[in-house]
Amino acid sequence: MLFFTREEYTRQVLFGSYLMSLGWFYMAFFLGRRYRRMKLGVVPVGRVRELKPTPDIELRSLDEPDLAGVRYDGVVADLHADDLTPEWERFLARCTLHHIPVYHVRQIQESMTGRVRIEHLTENEYGSLLPSLSYQGAKRFIDLVAALLLLPILAPVMLATAMAIRLDSPGPAFFIQQRMGFRGVPFKVYKFRSMYIDQRGSGFTEGDDDPRITRVGRFIRKCRLDELPQLLNVIKGEMSFIGPRPESMELSDWYERDVAFFSYRHVVRPGISGWAQVEQGYAAEVDGMTTKLQYDFYYIKHFSLWLDILIAFKTLKTIVTGFGAR
C-alpha cells in the first residue's frame, strides 16, 4: 500500500510492519489450531480400523455413502480393499468432484504417526524411497558450511566440557567408537565420554539408570553436549546434522539379523539428531528399534529441507526438556 500510494516510508516502518504481521499471523494460527480439530470421514471398509484419533484429528465413521450435510476436511478410505463396493467408489468420486480431498488410509496413517510401517513396504514402494540426490548434495554443502561456522563458536563450550569430564572421573575426555555409516561404510564417531572407563557392560546404554554413567555424563547427555565433537564427523563428510542416528557395530549386526530392511537406513548420512530421536527418544531393544526404523523410513521417504528444519526445532525442544536424552 505504501508503494502504490507513493507515501513516504522508511526501512524501520517496513521492518516493524513485518514483525507485527508475523506476530499476528502466528497468534491467529496457534489460536485457531488450539480450538479447531481436523474432521475426517472414514469409509468403514478394509484397514481403516487401524486408525486411531488424535487430539488434532477427529475420525468419524460413515454409515452410508453420503456426508449427510456435515462439513468434512477430507475422506479416508482403503482404496485397495476388496470389499470397497461400487457405491462407495462412486461416493469417493463425488467427493473429488466437490473438491473434498480423498486420502488413502496408508497416507493418513503415516501422516498421523510419522512412521512408515515395514510391512507396508512393497517391492515398488521400497525402490521409490530413494532420497533426492540433488538435495543430498545441497545438504552436504549446508552441513559443511554450518559446521565450519559453529566449530569456533562452540570451541569454548567443548573445552569446558572436556575439563569437567577429566575432573569428574579418570580417563580421556573423548569417547571414540566405530559405527555403521553412510552406505554401510563403518566410521569412527567422536563423542565426549559420559561413562566410567573401569565398568564394563553391554555395547549400548541400558536406559537412563545405567550405573556406568558419570555425574557429568548424565548432565551432558541430557543437554546433548556429548554430541558436540561430532562436528568433526560432519566436516569429514561421515555424518550430517540431521539424519538417522548411527548405531554401534554390535547393535547393527544384531538389528541386521532381527529387523527387516534395517540396512536401508544407511541410504542417507547418519545424523547428530534425527526424526526418530525427536519423536520416540532412545530405543535399544529390538521392538523399540522396529518403531525407530519406521521413523527412519518416514524421514527417508519425506527427505526434504522442510523436514530437516522441523527436526532442528524439535531438537532444540529436546535439549530444553531432556526428552530422548540417553
Side-chain angles (χ1 to χ4, degrees), residues 90-286:
R90 286 192 289 269
F91 164 73
L92 295 176
R94 290 197 305 271
C95 289
T96 303
L97 290 175
H98 288 83
H99 300 283
I100 300 175
V102 175
Y103 303 104
H104 182 45
V105 59
R106 185 183 301 176
Q107 178 185 1
I108 290 297
Q109 192 173 48
E110 291 179 6
S111 299
M112 294 174 67
T113 62
R115 310 198 312 253
V116 173
R117 297 179 62 174
I118 297 177
E119 57 268 27
H120 292 166
L121 290 176
T122 62
E123 182 177 353
N124 291 334
E125 185 175 5
Y126 183 73
S128 67
L129 290 180
L130 287 174
S132 168
L133 293 178
S134 59
Y135 179 59
Q136 275 190 320
K139 184 178 180 181
R140 171 59 191 147
F141 175 76
I142 295 172
D143 285 335
L144 180 60
V145 173
L148 292 176
L149 292 176
L150 286 174
L151 190 59
I153 298 175
L154 295 176
V157 178
M158 296 173 66
L159 179 60
T161 303
M163 293 177 61
I165 293 172
R166 292 299 304 273
L167 293 174
D168 180 59
S169 61
F174 292 95
F175 171 74
I176 302 176
Q177 184 184 50
Q178 193 173 46
R179 299 198 177 184
M180 188 65 72
F182 183 44
R183 296 175 178 171
V185 178
F187 73 102
K188 292 182 178 180
V189 67
Y190 305 107
K191 299 182 67 174
F192 281 123
R193 180 176 60 85
S194 59
M195 292 185 176
Y196 295 102
I197 62 173
D198 55 351
Q199 295 189 22
R200 294 190 174 274
S202 303
F204 52 87
T205 306
E206 299 173 339
D208 296 333
D209 298 326
D210 195 324
R212 296 173 295 168
I213 301 177
T214 65
R215 290 181 304 170
V216 171
R218 199 171 302 277
F219 173 77
I220 64 176
R221 281 169 175 259
K222 185 175 182 179
C223 298
R224 295 295 180 93
L225 295 177
D226 61 322
E227 313 283 1
L228 290 181
Q230 290 170 38
L231 285 174
L232 300 176
N233 293 116
V234 175
I235 293 175
K236 293 170 64 177
E238 298 165 335
M239 292 182 65
S240 172
F241 280 101
I242 305 295
R245 283 294 298 162
E247 300 294 345
S248 66
M249 300 301 296
E250 179 180 348
L251 278 179
S252 294
D253 293 339
W254 178 21
Y255 295 145
E256 189 73 41
R257 294 191 302 267
D258 297 336
V259 180
F261 305 123
F262 173 79
S263 60
Y264 191 73
R265 70 196 299 270
H266 303 137
V267 73
V268 295
R269 282 184 175 84
I272 298 177
S273 183
W275 183 241
Q277 281 63 46
V278 299
E279 289 293 311
Q280 179 194 22
Y282 174 64
E285 301 300 330
V286 171

Side-chain angles (χ1 to χ4, degrees), residues 36-44 48 51-64 66-67 70-77 88 91-92 95 99-113:
R36 183 182 179 277
R37 297 178 68 192
M38 186 179 186
K39 187 187 304 178
L40 297 176
V42 179
V43 177
V48 295
L51 295 177
K52 304 295 181 184
T54 68
D56 298 324
I57 299 178
E58 178 184 357
L59 301 175
R60 288 191 183 183
S61 180
L62 301 174
D63 298 327
E64 55 183 0
D66 190 280
L67 297 180
V70 179
R71 181 187 178 278
Y72 288 94
D73 296 295
V75 175
V76 185
W88 281 113
F91 164 73
L92 295 176
C95 289
H99 300 283
I100 300 175
V102 175
Y103 303 104
H104 182 45
V105 59
R106 185 183 301 176
Q107 178 185 1
I108 290 297
Q109 192 173 48
E110 291 179 6
S111 299
M112 294 174 67
T113 62

Side-chain angles (χ1 to χ4, degrees), residues 278-297:
V278 299
E279 289 293 311
Q280 179 194 22
Y282 174 64
E285 301 300 330
V286 171
D287 291 340
M289 186 60 203
T290 301
T291 303
K292 180 181 178 181
L293 189 60
Q294 293 173 358
Y295 282 115
D296 289 338
F297 278 151

